[in-house]
Amino acid sequence: MKNLKLTLGILAILCMASLQGKSQSIIGQIEDENQEAVPFANVVLLNKTDSSLISGTTSGMQGKFSLQSPEPNDYLLKISVMGLTDYFRTINKSESTKDLNLGVISMKTSTEILEAVEVKAQRPQFITYADKVVMDVENTSLHDGTTALEALSKSPGVWVNKDGELSINGKKGVRILLDGRPTYVSGSDLKSMLEGMSAESIKNIEVVSNPSAKYDAEGAGGVININFKKNSTRGLSGSVFSNYRFNGAHSTFSGLNLSGKKNGLGYYFNADAGSTPFWRDMQAKRTVAQNDFVLTQDVKDRRDLYKTNVISGFDYQLNDKLSFGLSYRGTGKLRDNHWDTESKIVEGENQFDVDAYNDNDVQTHNHTINGFFKYDFSDVSKISFDATYADLNTFQQSLFQNYYKNEARNYEELSNENESFFNINSIQTDYETHLNGIDTKFETGLKYSQVTSDNSLDFYLNEEDEKVFDVNRSNEFLYKETIKAGYINFSKKIGENTNLKAGLRTEHTLMDGTATQSSLDDGKIKRDFLSFFPSVFLQHKWTDNYSTNLNYSRRISRPPYIFLNPSIMYTDPYSYIIGNPEMKPRFTDGITFTQVFTQQFNLSIGYDEAKDFISEIPTVDPSNNNTVFRMGNIDEMQAVNLSILAPVQIADFWSLNFQGIATYQKFSTVHEGQKILNKGTTFNIRATQSIQLPGEIKMDVLSAYQSPEIYGVYQMEGYWFTDVSFKKSFINEKLDVSIAFNDIFRSFKFTGSSVVNNNLTKVTQYQYQQGIRLNLRYKFSLGDQFKSKQKKINLEELQRAGGA
């Protein structure tokens, strides 16, 4: 309630301030000859008489800028940026007495500068903005034959663990957006989706560590938005690609990217398909202290995975005010999984072995359709509508064969069939307007989303030629979740160098679940709660090369649907995974102070405090020596993190992007009457080097180290790895050929352990990261190259729609 009162107070002050006084603003939007936005251009207002500096600013992500003229006079406006010819415009005294909108300013390419840097200069891999860091993928080697997950792993401030779980600046619980629209999958499903998505179709990746109230409150660790390539030229342009990888198994992937424009119509089509086998070797040890029981296991996990992805859509600019569009995203996967386990069991003086062979066939089909409508009332006011429908379906058949090498020589055969689907509906509307010229901005919006799910698990005991239904391990889980949300954001430029933004989001959540098998008395899950999520952002530009940001926001992480499902997911005779319908959502308050040097070097320190942290807690049942892996809530989590992001141009031909993150975490909870306290400091370091070699060959070297860390009740050992890639272009830079060597020293190994009630659980695994990859990519263009008059759709206008 204190946070709510503080936020409302700030909003009231800002509203009063916005009504006082009105200064004259000069606004405009900068584009190059290809109609691409020009960010970080220097825009200065000079005294026409003596060329003294009056005021200045830089253009934003969309090339837009705003500055003030303090008093009526004759001025000279100058815009400059490397690679483009300087732009000048005289502003006479009469023009400076009122708000002046210069519209779109087109800057021409500077041929002299291009000739000077044509071979050696490299486009920056990422750019730092006030509220996010944007990493370029389209114009770097990151997209060559890699997956979306691999590209994410190289994003600034982002770390990907062995399960594909993402963290930003050491904070886990990250929400993934695709073109501004959230995904509804998580865990292994999210990892599989990103692994099956080619980086060839990605334009850039936005990393938002502290989202504003305009974003969904979901995602305590922040938000990552993946933007896909869209149309850029009249006619048709695109690329075809194919890659081969060997890491013990053979992997092939091919695809096609198309985009174009015709009059006001823009369209795009991206498709890829291929096989991406997954191999893993794992060793595990589990103990039950009460029974003097020790289980050691050797596991071979082999998955044959065939995937296809289609992304297609269009947008139409009817006139200067109205635009609309439609998009489709579809994925299909076939997975054949073989999980073979050799177990050695010691219980007191008794010893015997168990061999378990698990086979799983999985089919997945996901479809998402999104439509949007945008209307610009004026240059400073607009409204947008966004609607999404998603259909996610999975069917799995499993066979479990257990051979007990004891005196009885028992044989056990089990099987199950698991079918699940999710239907997702979402509708969103956003309105924004500028007050007092362009210095004050007001945003508001509403969202309604609904998710329905049906997950059925039929478990059988296979006896001779007959399948006997196992009612104790079978289950059906029905789930429905509705979220009604609204937000307001108010931002104001205070003077020339200070920006203040405050917002409040409210979300009303209704949850209703039913399970035929559950620890709950009636198998019902019901939640009905209203939550407030304030956010405050204060940015001050001290000099042209130094600025600071102070951010506060409150976030939520709701339990993923699969974690609420109480169905038993069988793995071997002595362990299984089960959902927890009683899990509560996690609320996190976070504050971050960031210093930005020369608009690229970042130094951040943050503090986060969470209640009901969601984590896996292994529990041992002494009656049968089974280990149950169950998600639950840890009472409290506190974390302090320090991050450094430093791009360094060592030489004209050699650039280095360095990232370092240090985090102190403390987890405390009570489990089965025992208080658990897990705390410690961890750090990770990543350095990406891009080197221009003779013969116009580009070499990229990625080196990373993760120190030992803690998470929930687990302790993980450290690991490191190094990747190297080479790229060269042929046929007038239309054909790109690249070769990559991953995990050269075979050092990307993971070891994690926990001790709960004196019972040990320890796992060591290697996921066959080491390998070689060859990629071919051919770019083509058909039709006229032209300067489109179509306005670009601001990405922020699409970031609040729901979908998968």
Side-chain angles (χ1 to χ4, degrees):
M1 184 58 70
K2 290 183 179 179
N3 294 331
L4 176 58
K5 291 180 179 179
L6 174 63
T7 305
L8 293 176
I10 293 175
L11 290 174
I13 293 173
L14 290 175
C15 290
M16 294 175 63
S18 68
L19 299 176
Q20 298 176 1
K22 181 177 179 181
S23 58
Q24 285 69 48
S25 298
I26 303 171
I27 64 175
Q29 181 174 351
I30 308 171
E31 295 182 350
D32 60 19
E33 293 178 302
N34 297 319
Q35 296 295 300
E36 294 289 339
V38 179
F40 286 113
N42 293 314
V43 184
V44 294
L45 191 65
L46 307 174
N47 187 303
K48 190 176 181 181
T49 303
D50 57 10
S51 296
S52 60
L53 179 65
I54 303 300
S55 63
T57 187
T58 56
S59 58
M61 181 180 176
Q62 302 298 318
K64 296 181 179 180
F65 68 88
S66 169
L67 51 77
Q68 293 179 333
S69 54
E71 60 184 19
N73 205 342
D74 292 328
Y75 298 106
L76 180 66
L77 181 73
K78 178 183 177 181
I79 303 176
S80 59
V81 65
M82 180 177 291
L84 300 177
T85 302
D86 291 350
Y87 171 88
F88 295 92
R89 187 191 190 283
T90 298
I91 299 175
N92 58 44
K93 188 174 182 178
S94 62
E95 288 180 315
S96 66
T97 61
K98 56 186 178 181
D99 292 333
L100 180 60
N101 187 345
L102 300 178
V104 176
I105 298 172
S106 179
M107 299 183 67
K108 296 183 178 180
T109 302
S110 173
T111 55
E112 293 182 0
I113 295 179
L114 281 178
E115 290 173 358
V117 299
E118 182 177 7
V119 175
K120 295 183 179 180
Q122 298 183 26
R123 182 168 178 168
Q125 186 171 326
F126 59 83
I127 299 175
T128 302
Y129 296 91
D131 59 343
K132 60 190 169 186
V133 180
V134 180
M135 184 181 74
D136 184 17
V137 176
E138 181 179 16
N139 299 290
T140 68
S141 61
L142 289 173
H143 72 289
D144 294 329
T146 62
T147 66
L149 185 65
E150 290 174 301
L152 276 178
S153 69
K154 300 174 184 179
S155 300
V158 177
W159 191 269
V160 183
N161 69 10
K162 53 94 183 176
D163 293 320
E165 185 180 17
L166 302 167
S167 62
I168 298 178
N169 294 337
K171 299 189 295 183
K172 294 182 172 65
V174 176
R175 190 79 185 272
I176 296 294
L177 309 182
L178 303 180
D179 274 335
R181 300 173 177 92
T183 59
Y184 283 89
V185 295
S186 59
S188 60
D189 290 333
L190 176 61
K191 179 185 178 184
S192 179
M193 182 189 73
L194 294 174
E195 286 177 330
M197 186 183 297
S198 171
E200 295 278 350
S201 59
I202 296 175
K203 178 179 177 63
N204 58 39
I205 297 174
E206 299 174 333
V207 181
V208 188
S209 58
N210 274 16
S212 70
K214 189 173 184 179
Y215 291 87
D216 284 350
E218 179 69 31
V223 169
I224 296 176
N225 183 34
I226 302 175
N227 294 310
F228 294 94
K229 298 175 185 177
K230 298 294 192 304
N231 45 294
S232 59
T233 59
R234 174 170 290 174
L236 182 67
S237 63
S239 64
V240 292
F241 68 91
S242 182
N243 69 74
Y244 167 80
R245 179 181 180 181
F246 179 76
N247 64 340
H250 300 278
S251 174
T252 58
F253 218 73
S254 300
L256 169 70
N257 299 320
L258 296 173
S259 64
K261 285 184 178 180
K262 185 175 182 180
N263 299 323
L265 177 66
Y267 51 90
Y268 57 93
F269 177 83
N270 303 319
D272 51 61
S275 63
T276 55
F278 174 85
W279 284 21
R280 174 173 59 173
D281 292 340
M282 183 169 63
Q283 295 78 43
K285 181 178 181 179
R286 298 199 294 271
T287 66
V288 182
Q290 181 176 335
N291 297 335
D292 195 18
F293 176 90
V294 179
L295 169 69
T296 57
Q297 294 180 316
D298 286 316
V299 180
K300 292 188 181 299
D301 183 10
R302 302 292 184 264
R303 307 179 196 179
D304 296 322
L305 182 58
Y306 304 91
K307 297 179 284 190
T308 182
N309 301 278
V310 175
I311 301 173
S312 181
F314 76 90
D315 55 79
Y316 186 72
Q317 189 80 34
L318 185 63
N319 51 46
D320 290 340
K321 295 183 178 296
L322 177 62
S323 62
F324 57 89
L326 189 68
S327 65
Y328 167 79
R329 178 174 292 111
T331 63
K333 291 180 290 185
L334 296 175
R335 189 181 74 198
D336 185 12
N337 186 23
H338 304 279
W339 178 288
D340 299 335
T341 305
E342 295 180 356
S343 302
K344 297 184 180 297
I345 298 166
V346 177
E347 187 174 8
E349 298 180 354
N350 298 321
Q351 299 184 26
F352 62 94
D353 297 342
V354 178
D355 292 342
Y357 303 99
N358 301 346
D359 295 323
N360 307 93
D361 294 322
V362 185
Q363 300 179 27
T364 302
H365 303 282
N366 298 340
H367 306 278
T368 303
I369 299 175
N370 174 269
F372 78 90
F373 169 92
K374 183 171 75 73
Y375 185 80
D376 295 343
F377 296 101
S378 64
D379 291 331
V380 296
S381 298
K382 61 189 68 176
I383 191 170
S384 62
F385 299 91
D386 206 299
T388 297
Y389 171 76
D391 183 37
L392 318 178
N393 300 275
T394 300
F395 178 74
Q396 174 176 319
Q397 290 181 308
S398 303
L399 177 65
F400 310 99
Q401 296 175 299
N402 303 318
Y403 296 87
Y404 294 83
K405 298 181 179 179
N406 50 18
E407 292 183 0
R409 293 285 176 175
N410 294 329
Y411 169 73
E412 180 183 37
E413 184 175 294
L414 314 170
S415 64
N416 67 35
E417 295 179 356
N418 184 200
E419 185 173 13
S420 65
F421 73 83
F422 292 91
N423 285 330
I424 302 164
N425 296 279
S426 174
I427 187 168
Q428 168 88 21
T429 180
D430 297 280
Y431 172 77
E432 69 174 62
T433 187
H434 292 271
L435 309 173
N436 289 348
I438 201 169
D439 291 338
T440 305
K441 183 179 180 181
F442 175 77
E443 299 172 285
T444 187
L446 299 171
K447 179 181 178 180
Y448 175 86
S449 64
Q450 186 178 87
V451 179
T452 58
S453 172
D454 188 350
N455 185 299
S456 61
L457 174 66
D458 294 335
F459 213 99
Y460 301 93
L461 304 176
N462 298 352
E463 298 178 354
E464 297 180 353
D465 295 330
E466 185 179 1
K467 295 171 65 174
V468 179
F469 187 74
D470 186 346
V471 65
N472 293 322
R473 284 187 282 195
S474 298
N475 187 37
E476 183 174 13
F477 182 60
L478 302 174
Y479 183 79
K480 181 178 180 180
E481 178 183 83
T482 302
I483 300 176
K484 303 171 186 177
Y487 74 91
I488 54 172
N489 264 341
F490 198 86
S491 57
K492 182 172 178 61
K493 188 173 183 180
I494 305 174
E496 290 297 319
N497 300 314
T498 304
N499 291 286
L500 180 62
K501 183 175 184 178
L504 178 66
R505 185 179 186 86
T506 179
E507 294 189 351
H508 180 206
T509 304
L510 289 169
M511 299 166 51
D512 189 356
T514 303
T516 56
Q517 295 289 336
S518 173
S519 59
L520 303 178
D521 293 337
D522 57 359
K524 298 288 187 180
I525 307 170
K526 287 191 178 294
R527 303 279 193 277
D528 185 348
F529 57 93
L530 180 67
S531 307
F532 295 94
F533 303 94
S535 60
V536 180
F537 302 82
L538 180 65
Q539 178 192 24
H540 184 75
K541 181 179 179 181
W542 300 90
T543 68
D544 289 341
N545 293 319
Y546 178 67
S547 63
T548 57
N549 300 313
L550 181 63
N551 304 329
Y552 162 79
S553 64
R554 180 174 174 81
R555 308 285 291 167
I556 187 175
S557 288
R558 298 176 180 86
Y561 311 120
I562 191 173
F563 293 164
L564 294 171
N565 186 348
S567 295
I568 294 175
M569 289 164 275
Y570 182 90
T571 56
D572 62 63
Y574 289 91
S575 61
Y576 58 90
I577 303 168
I578 188 171
N580 182 1
E582 299 180 81
M583 268 198 302
K584 295 178 286 187
R586 160 193 172 186
F587 288 90
T588 303
D589 291 276
I591 186 169
T592 303
F593 177 71
T594 303
Q595 301 178 78
V596 183
F597 304 88
T598 64
Q599 298 179 350
Q600 292 198 69
F601 297 88
N602 279 20
L603 177 62
S604 300
I605 183 169
Y607 173 77
D608 292 277
E609 185 173 285
K611 301 295 184 183
D612 296 318
F613 189 87
I614 298 172
S615 179
E616 180 183 88
I617 303 177
T619 304
V620 171
D621 184 354
S623 66
N624 53 20
N625 296 321
N626 281 351
T627 299
V628 181
F629 296 92
R630 182 179 177 127
M631 298 299 294
N633 291 112
I634 291 177
D635 296 337
E636 294 182 347
M637 186 279 293
Q638 295 174 305
V640 178
N641 59 78
L642 176 68
S643 67
I644 300 173
L645 182 62
V648 180
Q649 192 70 37
I650 301 174
D652 289 341
F653 62 92
W654 186 2
S655 65
L656 167 68
N657 288 330
F658 173 83
Q659 171 184 295
I661 302 172
T663 305
Y664 171 80
Q665 290 179 299
K666 183 172 73 172
F667 298 89
S668 60
T669 192
V670 176
H671 180 67
E672 295 184 342
Q674 179 188 20
K675 184 173 182 179
I676 300 176
L677 179 63
N678 198 12
K679 60 182 179 178
T681 301
T682 181
F683 65 91
N684 59 62
I685 298 172
R686 186 178 70 220
T688 305
Q689 302 178 71
S690 295
I691 305 172
Q692 195 74 41
L693 300 176
E696 298 186 354
I697 298 174
K698 183 181 179 182
M699 179 176 73
D700 286 340
V701 181
L702 169 64
S703 301
Y705 172 72
Q706 170 69 61
S707 76
E709 63 174 328
I710 64 169
Y711 187 73
V713 300
Y714 284 96
Q715 298 85 35
M716 279 79 78
E717 297 180 7
Y719 58 87
W720 61 279
F721 64 90
T722 298
D723 299 340
V724 179
S725 65
F726 300 88
K727 175 186 174 182
K728 182 175 174 59
S729 299
F730 301 90
I731 315 178
N732 296 324
E733 297 189 350
K734 291 184 177 181
L735 176 64
D736 294 335
V737 180
S738 63
I739 186 171
F741 304 90
N742 300 112
D743 193 17
I744 295 176
F745 304 102
R746 200 179 175 86
S747 55
F748 197 165
K749 297 181 179 179
F750 170 83
T751 298
S753 62
S754 70
V755 178
V756 178
N757 291 338
N758 298 319
N759 298 313
L760 170 70
T761 300
K762 183 176 182 180
V763 174
T764 299
Q765 60 176 295
Y766 182 70
Q767 295 185 354
Y768 283 77
Q769 301 287 344
Q770 188 180 64
I772 182 173
R773 182 178 62 241
L774 175 66
N775 184 75
L776 302 176
R777 180 173 182 254
Y778 182 78
K779 295 170 286 188
F780 60 86
S781 180
L782 304 173
D784 299 330
Q785 306 295 316
F786 86 121
K787 298 178 182 179
S788 171
K789 295 184 179 180
Q790 177 180 347
K791 291 185 178 180
K792 300 183 190 308
I793 298 175
N794 190 330
L795 289 176
E796 290 184 355
E797 296 169 357
L798 301 179
Q799 288 182 342
R800 288 297 305 122

